[in-house]
Amino acid sequence: MALGNLNGNEMAMIEFWQGNIWVFAASVGFLGLLVGSFLNVVVYRLPKMMMQEWHSQAREVLELPAEPTEEAFNLVLPHSRCPHCAHEIKPWENIPLLSWLFLRGRCSACKGSISVRYPLVELLSGILAAVIALHYGVSWNTLAMLVVTWGLLAMSLVDVDHQILPDVLVLPLLWLGLIVNSFGMFVSLNDAVWGAVLGYMSLWLVFWLFKLVTGKEGMGYGDFKLLALLGAWGGWQVLPLTILLSSVVGAVLGIIILRVQRNSLSNPLPFGPYLALAGWIALLWGEQITASYWQYAGL
């Protein structure tokens, strides 16, 4: 999708980036590091915010007195603190990657350990952003794909931690996919609508068939919505590859996790991250992968 309605200085910057795509990718990758730092906050706080809201609604339904108002807790306040000593993280202690390395993974106050997951999420966010910039170049497609990629990363991490895919992340991105494709950004609106419908219905049918046969629920409703989201962005065309890749990767990694952690088969394993990874690959390279397969198969 072409960029338009820009003034002279903006066009000059666009032309510079178009002529120096690696500089553009590095710039977008740096932005991804910053966003990754914020995603760590989202992944940690959003489930807690949801739990607080559920408790509040439950008390209202049960006609119980409201809980005492505590310190504001949202994605902005309170400021980030050490989980061990409640030391408030200073701005220079919150620089993506660099602060963790400089502090050697420890709090500057109590020397308690800081999980390596934080810099890894920042690094992954930056790498994914740079890959998208190289793939789509200087375009609105890059901006749109960055938004959905960061959303997929956040909801995948929440699913790993809590086995939930929050509607507050999934549904807005589903609608955004339909909106951007109303302009034909990735696929036609018709393909996007049917992608959302078939994405939801396909896993919904699998869910009920599995439940009728085994009497158990094999996946959550969030997985239906996530596949609908991917269909809204990439059209119905990405669904077969997404389902195939997620099933293969989920089966392989699931077996490895069960072996390493010695988990019981009754313990739930989140399917959302596999769907998100497979869908992201299908969104970017689905056509090439499918074409290569048909060529390899001689069809």
Side-chain angles (χ1 to χ4, degrees):
M1 190 173 181
L3 296 165
N5 300 323
L6 301 176
N7 61 39
N9 291 333
E10 291 170 337
M11 284 303 302
M13 178 62 72
I14 296 298
E15 291 173 359
F16 170 78
W17 276 338
Q18 289 175 335
N20 299 270
I21 192 63
W22 286 101
V23 175
F24 176 66
S27 301
V28 175
F30 177 73
L31 174 62
L33 294 177
L34 299 177
V35 173
S37 181
F38 177 69
L39 293 183
N40 280 319
V41 176
V42 173
V43 171
Y44 175 76
R45 296 192 183 190
L46 182 59
K48 293 181 178 293
M49 293 165 55
M50 294 170 61
M51 186 62 68
Q52 288 181 349
E53 183 178 357
W54 293 336
H55 284 170
S56 177
Q57 292 174 351
R59 296 183 72 87
E60 183 177 346
V61 170
L62 296 173
E63 298 183 350
L64 296 175
E67 294 178 323
T69 303
E70 299 179 353
E71 179 183 30
F73 188 84
N74 50 51
L75 297 181
V76 178
L77 296 173
H79 299 300
S80 298
R81 297 171 179 173
C82 170
H84 305 291
C85 67
H87 163 69
E88 185 173 315
I89 306 299
K90 306 301 181 184
W92 56 87
E93 297 173 335
N94 204 25
I95 302 172
L97 293 182
L98 297 180
S99 291
W100 191 89
L101 293 172
F102 180 76
L103 294 171
R104 298 182 179 180
R106 296 191 175 277
C107 172
S108 62
C110 70
K111 306 305 178 185
S113 63
I114 302 173
S115 174
V116 70
R117 171 167 152 170
Y118 295 118
L120 288 180
V121 170
E122 294 166 352
L123 181 61
L124 180 58
S125 175
I127 291 174
L128 294 178
V131 169
I132 290 169
L134 289 173
H135 185 81
Y136 289 105
V138 185
S139 66
W140 291 116
N141 299 64
T142 292
L143 179 59
M145 189 56 65
L146 285 173
V147 173
V148 72
T149 297
W150 289 327
L152 290 172
L153 179 56
M155 68 182 70
S156 296
L157 293 171
V158 171
D159 200 21
V160 168
D161 291 341
H162 303 280
Q163 283 75 56
I164 57 173
L165 290 165
D167 282 350
V168 70
L169 295 177
V170 178
L171 296 183
L173 286 175
L174 192 161
W175 283 108
L176 182 60
L178 295 176
I179 291 171
V180 299
N181 282 323
S182 69
F183 299 98
M185 187 173 290
F186 297 99
V187 294
S188 69
L189 179 59
N190 184 65
D191 287 345
V193 170
W194 280 108
V197 172
L198 295 176
Y200 188 93
M201 291 301 299
S202 58
L203 290 188
W204 183 86
L205 289 172
V206 171
F207 170 88
W208 281 106
L209 286 174
F210 184 84
K211 188 172 183 178
L212 288 173
V213 173
T214 66
K216 300 178 180 179
E217 296 184 355
M219 64 181 67
Y221 279 69
D223 297 322
F224 314 162
K225 300 170 190 175
L226 176 54
L227 190 57
L229 180 161
L230 296 169
W233 281 82
W236 59 267
Q237 296 90 335
V238 304
L239 298 179
L241 181 61
T242 298
I243 294 173
L244 176 61
L245 287 177
S246 61
S247 300
V248 172
V249 174
V252 172
L253 292 183
I255 292 172
I256 293 174
I257 292 172
L258 290 173
R259 292 288 185 114
V260 172
Q261 298 183 353
R262 301 180 184 278
N263 284 341
S264 167
L265 290 175
S266 61
N267 292 337
L269 291 174
F271 189 51
Y274 308 129
L275 269 179
L277 174 61
W280 188 81
I281 293 173
L283 288 174
L284 267 71
W285 300 291
E287 290 185 7
Q288 296 92 317
I289 294 173
T290 302
S292 297
Y293 171 78
W294 291 125
Q295 184 177 6
Y296 176 79
L299 299 174

